[in-house]
Amino acid sequence: MEKVLRVDTTDKTRFEFGLDKPLELKGDWAVTADFHVPLYDAKLVNMFLDDAKDHKSLLIAGDFLNGDSLSQYYPKQKSAGIEKEISEAKALMEILCSNFKNIVFLRGNHDYRYTKSAEYRETFVDSMTEVFKDVPRHGCKLQFSNLDHCYITSNKERYFIAHPDSYSKNPLNNPLAIATVKKCHVLTAHTHHCAMGWDPSGEFVVGELGGFFSIPQTEYLQGTTTYPNWCNGYWFITSGKPYMISYGARSLRCISNGK
């Protein structure tokens, strides 16, 4: 009987694909997401900068950019086209760089439209590096990640921060589902909602990050829609504790005390 050929499992190089590993961040961080530049609330960003004055590190958990003109979806908001978007994004990023020593920018589904528009010939890191290449950094370290998630460890408390593709109209559904897998605190973006709670075990904090989006300036929200009311907000992880500042549909400010 003729011998059967088999795969050489000792040649490890054949199975190395260079996959990215999630960033492992340490210490205290301001945690934000969903700016959707140029459709962002500038006054709210300034309020955030005032609240963040004691933090040196900023995490942007995706969707800093809107990418409406690069989307497959219609209608497209011509008043917020790509030239205005890139110009405003650069200006805002310079302001953020002047306020923080470290900025980490995770991949969001809207930001990723830039990579898709290049037909995936470049990575997300390459796309964002090109967009922000000439932004004055003011000594700030600006780092991009090809992944939609990272970890933050602060005072021995571990947080999983993500911009998942999945969307739920039900508050906290995404971070609750992820916490059962990750077994740590979970904060997620993408749903344009801001809230804090506990997983069923009562051990892990779960939360949604909110954002800085301007509802009155977002064209597709002015029509008939079944989207829940969006809630802006931002978070701080300080000495292991989560602090949330959120704004409801009527811009009522709510502050958690981190306990």
Side-chain angles (χ1 to χ4, degrees):
M1 184 176 179
E2 187 175 348
K3 186 176 180 180
V4 176
L5 294 178
R6 297 186 179 276
V7 175
D8 180 6
T9 60
T10 63
D11 185 1
K12 302 299 183 182
T13 61
R14 297 176 60 188
F15 308 103
E16 293 291 334
F17 298 101
L19 297 180
D20 289 68
K21 296 181 179 179
L23 296 174
E24 294 279 355
L25 309 179
K26 307 291 184 183
D28 297 345
W29 286 77
V31 184
T32 64
D34 291 288
F35 286 73
H36 289 277
V37 176
L39 304 174
Y40 73 102
D41 188 329
K43 291 182 179 179
L44 183 57
V45 171
N46 285 337
M47 293 168 68
F48 160 70
L49 292 175
D50 289 338
D51 289 333
K53 61 182 179 296
D54 294 328
H55 284 73
K56 297 181 179 179
S57 299
L58 169 65
L59 174 63
I60 302 173
D63 284 4
F64 184 75
L65 299 159
N66 194 47
D68 192 30
S69 61
L70 304 177
S71 170
Q72 61 181 324
Y73 302 108
Y74 291 91
K76 299 182 186 296
Q77 188 166 342
K78 293 183 179 179
S79 61
I82 193 165
E83 290 186 2
K84 182 176 182 62
E85 178 169 322
I86 291 179
S87 175
E88 187 60 35
K90 289 180 177 180
L92 179 55
M93 185 60 77
E94 181 179 0
I95 290 171
L96 295 177
C97 285
S98 69
N99 281 274
F100 296 95
K101 297 295 184 183
N102 300 290
I103 298 177
V104 170
F105 186 155
L106 304 180
R107 188 191 80 210
N109 57 301
H110 279 250
D111 311 304
Y112 199 50
R113 290 170 177 174
Y114 283 76
T115 304
K116 291 179 180 178
S117 69
E119 298 180 342
Y120 305 99
R121 290 188 298 269
E122 57 190 25
T123 66
F124 176 72
V125 170
D126 293 334
S127 299
M128 294 300 100
T129 300
E130 178 65 23
V131 170
F132 296 104
K133 65 181 180 181
D134 56 352
V135 172
R137 304 291 174 86
H138 303 284
C140 173
K141 179 183 178 183
L142 176 58
Q143 183 177 5
F144 305 103
S145 173
N146 285 319
L147 300 181
D148 64 3
H149 61 277
C150 72
Y151 290 93
I152 293 177
T153 301
S154 175
N155 196 29
K156 299 182 180 179
E157 296 290 334
R158 189 165 171 81
Y159 290 79
F160 180 82
I161 318 291
H163 194 112
D165 288 333
S166 57
Y167 176 83
S168 174
K169 293 182 179 180
N170 299 316
L172 298 179
N173 263 13
N174 275 345
L176 281 168
I178 295 171
T180 63
V181 177
K182 296 298 181 180
K183 305 298 182 186
C184 65
H185 309 301
V186 176
L187 307 180
T188 62
H190 186 65
T191 56
H192 294 192
H193 191 262
C194 192
M196 179 189 289
W198 293 96
D199 81 316
S201 73
E203 184 177 359
F204 304 121
V205 171
V206 294
E208 291 174 317
L209 292 170
F212 297 92
F213 30 80
S214 175
I215 296 171
Q217 295 296 322
T218 303
E219 185 175 292
Y220 73 88
L221 291 180
Q222 310 315 311
T224 303
T225 175
T226 59
Y227 287 106
N229 285 330
W230 289 356
C231 298
N232 278 301
Y234 42 89
W235 288 62
F236 300 99
I237 297 175
T238 307
S239 299
K241 293 183 178 181
Y243 296 82
M244 178 191 73
I245 301 178
S246 64
Y247 298 83
R250 294 184 293 109
S251 299
L252 180 67
R253 180 178 168 105
C254 177
I255 305 175
S256 73
N257 61 11
K259 293 183 180 179

